[in-house]
Amino acid sequence: MTIDLKSFIRDIPNFPKPGIIYRDIAPLLLDPQAFKAATEAMAAPFDGETVDVVAAAEARGFIFAAPLALHLNAGFVPIRKPGKLPFETHSHSYDLEYGSDELHVHIDGVLPGQRVIIVDDLLATGGTMQACCKLLELCQAEILGCSFLIHLAGLKGETKLQPYRVESAIVY
Ligand SMILES: O=P(O)(O)OC[C@H]1O[C@H](OP(=O)(O)OP(=O)(O)O)[C@H](O)[C@@H]1O
Ligand SMILES: Nc1ncnc2[nH]cnc12
């Protein structure tokens, strides 16, 4: 039986700001079958390919990246906010709707030529994933593509991710 993943996403209007519909993954994470099906759906486009590393930005990206890495027999590399990684890092600053943010990855997190997929729970404006791609380019990784559970298609975040392959399990 196929699971309707969208039925496990809870819509919260006007969170965290008026006008935003927050797509809450908490009900999906609470259901082991739905969580497993979501992980499998995010891995499926890359099944059969050699993947060395699955990378993801904190915090929600980690939730899906770890099981995906195990499913694909790959390692996991965390991409983190400033001040969290103990070893030398590459960093990248990027603009948000208001203000800016910065992400880091260990310089030896991914080795030159390693084949990487980057995952996140949700693609909105694409700023977070674009920053992750830039960091992995600094590591000279081979980026196979980006895999999301949810794609908010109206925000056109995929345009920021060209020329990378973008896969998603649920589209709004
Ligand atoms: O495509 P974008 O516009 O960059 O938005 C998507 C990002 O926003 C959310 O993370 P958030 O920054 O809320 O942090 P969290 O994972 O710690 O909740 C989500 O988990 C993505 O990483
Ligand atoms: N609409 C949304 N729902 C959940 N997380 C988000 N991150 C950015 N936009 C979001």
Side-chain angles (χ1 to χ4, degrees):
M1 194 189 72
T2 5
I3 288 190
D4 176 14
L5 293 175
K6 217 180 222 183
S7 69
F8 289 89
I9 306 297
R10 176 169 55 187
D11 293 349
I12 316 258
N14 303 314
F15 181 89
K17 295 192 284 196
I20 304 280
I21 303 173
Y22 188 90
R23 309 294 182 177
D24 182 17
I25 58 171
L28 181 139
L29 299 176
L30 266 176
D31 186 293
Q33 283 180 327
F35 190 8
K36 187 161 187 281
T39 306
E40 286 169 359
M42 291 169 76
F46 300 93
D47 276 341
E49 293 187 41
T50 303
V51 179
D52 298 309
V53 171
V54 176
E58 64 177 304
R60 279 179 270 159
F62 286 6
I63 298 169
F64 294 96
L68 223 71
L70 295 177
H71 182 90
L72 292 166
N73 196 29
F76 166 62
V77 169
I79 297 173
R80 301 211 61 184
K81 305 253 165 86
K84 298 289 186 184
L85 290 172
F87 189 58
E88 196 179 336
T89 61
H90 293 300
S91 67
H92 182 73
S93 300
Y94 58 104
D95 290 329
L96 296 168
E97 204 173 355
Y98 300 103
S100 65
D101 215 337
E102 187 175 297
L103 286 171
H104 289 244
V105 68
H106 275 152
I107 55 163
D108 62 351
V110 181
L111 302 176
Q114 280 195 306
R115 295 161 61 86
V116 180
I117 65 169
I118 319 171
V119 310
D120 209 343
D121 68 321
L122 185 138
L123 171 60
T125 67
T128 305
M129 186 56 81
Q130 186 183 38
C132 292
C133 291
K134 291 219 153 99
L135 286 172
L136 292 169
E137 293 289 1
L138 289 173
C139 295
Q140 299 175 54
E142 183 183 341
I143 299 174
L144 300 179
C146 312
S147 188
F148 299 91
L149 177 64
I150 299 168
H151 179 187
L152 304 183
L155 296 177
K156 303 274 175 229
E158 69 280 4
T159 58
K160 282 209 182 91
L161 303 180
Q162 284 166 0
Y164 304 113
R165 180 174 160 199
V166 174
E167 305 282 354
S168 44
I170 301 170
V171 180
Y172 285 94

